[in-house]
Amino acid sequence: MRAYFSLKRSIDFRAMKKPVIFKLFDALVLPVSTYGCQIWASESALFKELSTKPSPAGMRLTTLARDPTESLHLSFLKWTLGVGKRTSNAPIWGDCGRVPLLISVLKQIFGYVKRLSQLNKQNCQSLVTLAYREQMLLNLKWFRGISRIFQVATKKEFDDSEVIAPNAIRLVLNDHFTDVWESERKLNRKLNFYNIVKEEFGLEDYVSNLPKHKDLVSMARMRTSSHKLKIETGRYSVNRAKPIGRACPSCTDINTAELLSELPYFDPIIEDELHILRTCPAFHCLRSSLSEDLKSQLFSDVAAAFKHTAELGRFLRKVFNKRFPEKKSKERIKSKGKK
């Protein structure tokens, strides 16, 4: 944790490209957070999931996210993108193109197993080799976890006499994770908009190339539904069971809507991401300044529209500034500070 917070204090993440920040994390925090993972990884959420489920398809992203190491990783990614702590984890992994830390160090873990296997074949009598033999003979917890991962990756039982390919195991588990990510994010109703704009697992262009941090944050918040539009805040309001709780305040008269909400076929205009991007009259002036190509893609192909990272990022920043203006109290505090 000290390495994690030290990194956050030391860098101005707004002025740096996000892939560079990821590399700093991998160089400074990853070695510390996964130190000794060859020993304790069998007790991690990833190993336990694979040890108890009949197939990798049974792996759940929520369980992986509860692992302390991965919780630290996700916290860092959300901080980098500028989204809330309660943002769904699937779009964070997906847009950053990063897999759980323990999957990324599987090569290191099985490299250690490979060295132990070679020492055992040489009939070495060192303490670590004797402990390794005991784990195999008694089928202890560490060996069961390693064997399960090996079985999932190679479709074969672990055999000390066979050649172990650490990198191949990592790549197979990496593919298993992306398959689970793909299936779970499509089943998550909160990620309906994300599923429209996200085509495949991998680092998104806006994360790597968008120069202005505020534009990047606006883009990330819109994609991951980490915003305060009614489609999100209505989930937790008093009227969450009624459509009025998610009605667009710019397109709906609240008093009239409350009267009409008692009718059986009342269907107000919902303030969701597509409504904001396409038709909400409150942002017509901002929308009219967009290029013709982008405006047409907002209706025909939203996923393609999000590839206009610079222009769309600017537009979303202005939309959020207009929809959620800063409170006057904050402006007064700033003006007093200047005086």
Side-chain angles (χ1 to χ4, degrees), residues 49 58-66 70 74 89-90 93 100 177 180-182 184-185:
E49 277 288 284
M59 187 193 305
R60 290 189 57 81
L61 299 184
T62 51
T63 306
L64 297 183
R66 291 194 199 105
E70 193 53 32
L74 286 168
N89 297 318
W93 277 314
F177 172 78
V180 173
W181 171 86
E182 187 71 34
E184 283 209 19
R185 61 117 171 179

Side-chain angles (χ1 to χ4, degrees), residues 5-284:
F5 287 111
S6 177
L7 177 60
K8 289 179 69 173
R9 287 195 304 268
S10 302
I11 63 174
D12 182 7
F13 67 97
R14 294 169 297 181
M16 298 178 67
K17 287 190 174 182
K18 301 308 176 269
V20 176
I21 298 178
F22 297 157
K23 287 182 179 179
L24 286 173
F25 179 89
D26 291 340
L28 302 175
V29 180
L30 177 62
V32 178
S33 61
T34 59
Y35 181 78
C37 60
Q38 299 92 333
I39 306 302
W40 55 259
S42 60
E43 291 296 304
S44 66
L46 172 67
F47 276 56
K48 286 181 178 179
E49 277 288 284
L50 293 177
S51 297
T52 55
K53 305 294 182 183
S55 69
M59 187 193 305
R60 290 189 57 81
L61 299 184
T62 51
T63 306
L64 297 183
R66 291 194 199 105
D67 186 82
T69 305
E70 193 53 32
S71 178
L72 176 71
H73 184 214
L74 286 168
S75 175
F76 180 82
L77 296 179
K78 291 176 182 179
W79 171 77
T80 304
L81 294 182
V83 298
K85 295 180 180 179
R86 296 186 178 181
T87 305
S88 297
N89 297 318
I92 303 302
W93 277 314
D95 278 10
C96 294
R98 293 176 66 90
V99 298
L101 292 184
L102 282 179
I103 292 181
S104 64
V105 297
L106 276 173
K107 181 180 178 181
Q108 181 179 341
I109 294 171
F110 277 90
Y112 174 71
V113 176
K114 183 179 181 179
R115 291 193 296 273
L116 291 178
S117 177
Q118 290 172 345
L119 289 173
N120 187 45
K121 290 174 185 176
Q122 296 168 7
N123 199 26
C124 179
Q125 298 300 313
S126 63
L127 184 60
V128 67
T129 311
L130 294 174
Y132 174 67
R133 289 172 189 160
E134 183 181 23
Q135 286 279 341
M136 285 196 300
L137 289 172
L138 301 178
N139 195 28
L140 298 180
K141 189 181 295 185
W142 175 85
F143 183 74
R144 289 200 303 270
I146 294 293
S147 300
R148 177 57 181 160
I149 296 291
F150 183 87
Q151 184 182 2
V152 167
T154 63
K155 309 299 183 184
K156 296 185 293 185
E157 294 290 338
F158 182 82
D159 188 348
D160 187 60
S161 62
E162 291 190 8
V163 177
I164 299 173
N167 194 49
I169 293 173
R170 180 184 64 83
L171 293 175
V172 171
L173 265 295
N174 190 76
D175 291 340
H176 282 325
F177 172 78
T178 54
D179 289 342
V180 173
W181 171 86
E182 187 71 34
S183 61
E184 283 209 19
R185 61 117 171 179
K186 289 180 178 179
L187 295 174
N188 191 337
R189 289 184 297 176
K190 190 176 179 181
L191 299 179
N192 287 338
F193 180 72
Y194 183 73
N195 291 330
I196 295 174
V197 298
K198 184 65 173 177
E199 296 175 341
E200 60 182 4
F201 187 90
L203 179 66
E204 286 294 325
D205 186 58
Y206 81 92
V207 178
S208 56
N209 295 322
L210 205 54
K212 292 188 177 181
H213 179 70
K214 289 186 178 180
D215 293 356
L216 183 147
V217 170
S218 300
M219 184 83 82
R221 288 178 177 175
M222 180 62 82
R223 288 174 62 92
T224 63
S225 298
S226 180
H227 48 61
K228 295 181 181 179
L229 299 179
K230 289 294 184 178
I231 187 67
E232 285 302 311
T233 58
R235 299 176 191 275
Y236 314 105
S237 66
V238 177
N239 295 319
R240 58 182 174 272
K242 300 179 180 180
I244 190 175
R246 304 181 188 186
C248 177
S250 302
C251 305
T252 308
D253 180 76
I254 301 301
N255 295 326
T256 305
E258 287 180 350
L259 295 174
L260 295 175
S261 63
E262 302 300 326
L263 297 176
Y265 301 107
F266 176 64
D267 187 20
I269 298 174
I270 303 300
E271 187 188 39
D272 60 9
E273 295 87 354
L274 290 177
H275 174 66
I276 293 295
L277 289 171
R278 292 173 173 174
T279 57
C280 187
F283 311 108
H284 175 71

